[in-house]
Amino acid sequence: MEKKLISLFVWFTLAAVALAAPIDDFSTGGSLAPAPGVDMAELTAARAAYAKGRLEECEAQLKMAKSKSPGLPPVDLMLCRLHFSHKRTAAGKALLEKVAAEHTEHPEVYLLSGNVALSESRLTDAYVHFEKALGVGGTVKIGAPDSWSQEQKDALLREGLSGLTTISERRKDWFKAQLALKELVKLSPGDAKVRDRLGAALFMLGREDEALEQF
């Protein structure tokens, strides 16, 4: 009976994470987490201007935010996220190509590209982009710049690992899924959803005792 209940719990856990999370505007991404004390009122104003279709005002606010907080991503990259979060996919993709050509060394270019590919179920493309953003796999490694704060590096790692996890879960590659999830647990040991996903992956690998520890 207990095993049946666990199996049911695992099924619901995996069903809940089967779909890619929507691309938001500013809350995800390595350097998008505001540093302590940084006034982000300009980002709020940029969101409002974009929602009203005032793109020039939106860009002006993004530029002002960037001037106050140089650690933010390039202005066009932030505008990309606004396009995608408002379902303007064609505009977002067009601008992302421009950003990728101009900022080839910025990890969030590949992080966003990975999220876009994941949202379209292009799993191989997404995996390559996430690995590149994290500085692992392939011949060209990007990763977080040394100048980033630990908070920024952890945010990049958290989002990249989350993307790799989702891909592995969709592919039913439970071994790779549990490897990524174990790293996510180290970053967020109190995150119950991450532990549930790790437990589900371990259960699918037949490691029931380890799964129960996570649940």
Side-chain angles (χ1 to χ4, degrees):
M1 182 65 179
E2 183 183 64
K3 187 170 182 177
K4 285 184 178 180
L5 288 173
I6 295 173
S7 297
L8 189 61
F9 179 76
V10 167
W11 186 87
F12 278 116
T13 298
L14 295 177
V17 299
L19 299 176
I23 298 171
D24 60 14
D25 48 17
F26 302 134
S27 67
T28 56
S31 63
L32 291 170
V38 173
D39 180 8
M40 305 306 279
E42 290 80 11
L43 295 184
T44 301
R47 287 188 186 99
Y50 186 96
K52 294 176 182 177
R54 301 202 292 258
L55 292 185
E56 288 186 7
E57 180 183 338
C58 173
E59 288 190 60
Q61 291 292 339
L62 291 175
K63 288 176 182 177
M64 198 177 303
K66 176 72 173 175
S67 68
K68 286 188 175 182
S69 180
L72 285 170
V75 169
D76 281 348
L77 186 53
M78 291 191 281
L79 185 57
C80 267
R81 281 188 176 272
L82 283 168
H83 285 326
F84 286 118
S85 68
H86 285 77
K87 311 301 182 186
R88 296 186 63 199
T89 306
K93 285 184 174 180
L95 187 54
L96 185 54
E97 287 299 320
K98 174 177 178 288
V99 174
E102 294 176 352
H103 302 279
T104 57
E105 300 300 315
H106 202 295
E108 286 183 32
V109 169
Y110 306 100
L111 198 63
L112 181 54
S113 297
N115 278 317
V116 172
L118 184 55
S119 72
E120 298 175 345
S121 296
R122 292 185 286 110
L123 302 187
T124 301
D125 287 349
Y127 205 93
V128 171
H129 284 303
F130 284 129
E131 283 196 324
K132 195 166 184 176
L134 296 177
V136 298
T139 56
V140 180
K141 297 175 173 58
I142 303 299
D146 293 337
S147 59
W148 280 17
S149 68
Q150 191 59 49
E151 179 187 24
Q152 291 172 317
K153 292 176 181 179
D154 287 348
L156 175 68
L157 182 58
R158 189 176 292 110
E159 189 177 350
L161 285 170
S162 180
L164 293 176
T165 296
T166 300
I167 294 167
S168 297
E169 288 169 336
R170 287 201 198 176
R171 288 174 166 174
K172 294 181 171 52
D173 187 341
W174 307 116
F175 182 76
K176 283 187 178 179
Q178 59 91 27
L179 288 178
L181 284 161
K182 283 181 178 179
E183 294 303 312
L184 279 172
V185 166
K186 292 177 185 178
L187 288 169
S188 305
D191 191 326
K193 289 182 179 179
V194 171
R195 287 191 178 277
D196 284 346
R197 291 171 76 179
L198 175 56
L202 291 168
F203 182 83
M204 297 301 288
L205 288 168
R207 292 153 61 178
E208 295 175 16
D209 290 341
E210 292 178 66
L212 278 172
E213 288 180 14
Q214 298 302 324
F215 294 144

